[in-house]
């Protein structure tokens, strides 16, 4: 389950970029530390942080270091030639020693208890799965990691994975062995197995399709970009009551709940504003939600007890939020 933090409790940290290392073609590993050398906040596999790269330029990256090492955080960043400027900023403008504002950590991709795990990574999607594999090993679970990429040169951490975990890791460079054989991996549902997948949208959609026959809750995915959603359930305006202040706001078509709440004078922390980071997650006290985010599992959506107010809307005339 997603772990909720009380609204307004996110932590901003002023850190130092202590190291910047190339770990694959187009991928740099950033090592972040406190300027005073103190411990960083604790985190668990699957967590990510926001890098505040400049005004209006905030990007989310999965932590891929050892959670037991509180002296540093590490994130790996792929240069995206067709991106929105975040990865280019990291690759072209950040140098060792640079100060960097970091927010988090936050975890919407937690490693739940299971007897067995199947980890499926595509490209830079290996980053959250790296500490997960180590944690599964620590727990004594049966696990396997299948890692696909365009070529070996583009696959970050492949040497580390092979050295640390040997036969539990299978590499699939596309130029050598083609695409991942998802039918062989997922064609037969396996009770007691959780599937964790991170990578490009095409891979996630293919894995979701094949896991449709698996037990409910068996699949966990993490997206880098918003999933495709249809038209809103309600095409008109709806009301949102803010339980803490007693204020009621009207959310018209074309405006988000987040925007309406902000305009009413209630500040809410937010980052991506596209339903992928989870910063604006807000508890729902009453009503049903038209979930339009890319984070919550089907089971979490069905509970209607939380929503990402930057993109999700009401599926009823009135919502009551814990704001």
């Amino acid at each position: 389950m997603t772990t909720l933090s009380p609204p307004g409790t996110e932590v901003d940290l002023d850190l130092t970029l202590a190291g910047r290392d190339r770990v694959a073609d187009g991928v740099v590993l950033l090592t972040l530390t406190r300027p005073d050398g103190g411990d960083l906040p604790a985190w668990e596999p699957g967590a990510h942080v926001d890098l505040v790269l400049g005004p209006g330029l905030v990007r989310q990256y999965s932590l891929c270091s050892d959670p037991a090492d509180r002296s540093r955080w590490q994130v790996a960043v792929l240069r995206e030639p067709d991106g929105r400027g975040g990865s280019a900023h990291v690759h072209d403008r950040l140098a060792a020693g640079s100060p960097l504002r970091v927010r988090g950590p936050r975890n919407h991709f937690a490693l739940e208890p299971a007897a067995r795990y199947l980890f499926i990574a595509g490209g830079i999607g290996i980053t959250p799965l790296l500490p997960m594999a180590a944690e599964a090993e620590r727990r004594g679970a049966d696990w396997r990691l299948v890692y696909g990429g365009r070529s070996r040169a583009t696959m970050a951490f492949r040497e580390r994975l092979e050295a640390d975990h040997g036969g539990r890791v299978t590499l699939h460079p596309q130029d050598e062995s083609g695409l991942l054989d998802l039918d062989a991996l997922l064609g037969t549902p396996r009770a007691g197995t959780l599937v964790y997948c991170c990578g490009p949208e095409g891979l996630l959609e293919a894995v979701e399709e094949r896991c449709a026959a698996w037990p409910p809750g068996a699949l966990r995915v993490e997206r880098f970009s918003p999933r495709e959603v249809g038209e809103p359930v309600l095409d008109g305006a709806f009301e949102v009551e803010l339980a803490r202040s007693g204020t009621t706001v009207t959310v018209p078509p074309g405006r988000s709940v987040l925007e309406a709440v902000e305009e009413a004078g209630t500040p809410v922390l937010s980052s991506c504003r596209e339903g992928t980071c989870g910063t604006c997650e807000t508890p729902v006290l009453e009503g049903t939600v038209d979930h339009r985010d890319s984070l919550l599992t089907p089971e979490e959506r069905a509970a209607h007890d939380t929503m990402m107010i930057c993109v999700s809307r009401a599926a009823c005339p009135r919502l009551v939020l814990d704001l």
Side-chain angles (χ1 to χ4, degrees):
M1 284 290 293
T2 299
T3 300
L4 293 180
S5 298
T9 60
E10 284 290 338
V11 176
D12 283 340
L13 300 169
D14 290 311
L15 303 183
T16 299
L17 180 56
R20 183 182 186 279
D21 302 290
R22 178 182 176 275
V23 290
D25 287 354
V27 180
V28 293
L29 179 68
L30 307 182
T31 299
L32 307 167
T33 61
R34 284 188 182 273
D36 62 5
D39 283 348
L40 291 162
W43 61 281
E44 296 180 351
H48 69 264
V49 294
D50 299 343
L51 300 190
V52 183
L53 303 171
L57 192 61
V58 181
R59 297 293 183 265
Q60 293 74 43
Y61 298 105
S62 296
L63 291 167
C64 60
S65 45
D66 180 359
D69 183 357
R70 300 277 298 278
S71 70
R72 64 179 185 171
W73 285 344
Q74 290 182 313
V75 299
V77 181
L78 170 69
R79 178 187 284 276
E80 298 278 6
D82 299 321
R84 297 172 296 152
S87 68
H89 182 101
V90 169
H91 278 256
D92 296 338
R93 301 184 62 180
L94 290 187
S98 298
L100 192 61
R101 174 64 61 91
V102 182
R103 181 183 301 132
R106 190 180 308 114
N107 199 341
H108 291 268
F109 195 45
L111 186 67
E112 303 290 347
R116 288 175 297 279
Y117 299 98
L118 174 59
F119 302 115
I120 302 175
I124 197 61
I126 189 61
T127 51
L129 302 184
L130 199 66
M132 284 189 180
E135 177 63 16
E137 183 77 14
R138 188 192 67 79
R139 294 180 185 180
D142 182 15
W143 66 275
R144 180 185 179 194
L145 168 64
V146 182
Y147 179 14
R150 294 192 308 276
S151 66
R152 289 182 184 272
T154 66
M155 298 170 71
F157 310 114
R158 60 180 177 82
E159 294 176 349
R160 169 176 159 187
L161 283 164
E162 289 179 315
D164 290 350
H165 302 298
R168 292 190 183 272
V169 176
T170 303
L171 301 181
H172 276 274
Q174 187 175 341
D175 61 350
E176 297 177 20
S177 53
L179 296 174
L180 296 177
D181 188 349
L182 297 179
D183 290 328
L185 288 170
L186 302 168
T188 303
R190 294 189 287 278
T193 300
L194 291 184
V195 180
Y196 281 79
C197 181
C198 187
E201 185 61 27
L203 173 64
L204 299 183
E205 290 179 353
V207 168
E208 288 175 327
E209 178 182 339
R210 287 160 177 81
C211 283
W214 283 57
L219 174 63
R220 307 284 198 278
V221 301
E222 184 166 62
R223 283 181 156 82
F224 299 136
S225 57
R227 65 185 177 95
E228 291 293 326
V229 293
E231 293 298 316
V233 172
L234 297 181
D235 57 9
F238 57 91
E239 290 187 341
V240 173
E241 179 184 337
L242 311 183
R244 298 188 189 186
S245 66
T247 302
T248 297
V249 300
T250 299
V251 183
R255 301 289 284 173
S256 70
V257 175
L258 175 62
E259 291 169 332
V261 167
E262 289 177 330
E263 289 172 2
T266 299
V268 179
L269 284 171
S270 64
S271 180
C272 71
R273 294 185 177 243
E274 59 183 15
T276 58
C277 76
T279 307
C280 70
E281 184 172 7
T282 301
V284 178
L285 303 180
E286 294 180 25
T288 55
V289 181
D290 175 13
H291 291 290
R292 307 175 69 77
D293 65 275
S294 303
L295 286 165
L296 297 178
T297 67
E299 294 75 22
E300 289 168 337
R301 293 187 187 119
H304 295 287
D305 60 2
T306 187
M307 67 184 291
M308 309 303 163
I309 63 173
C310 65
V311 291
S312 294
R313 304 182 66 78
C316 62
R318 183 182 181 89
L319 291 174
V320 181
L321 303 181
D322 187 17
L323 288 173

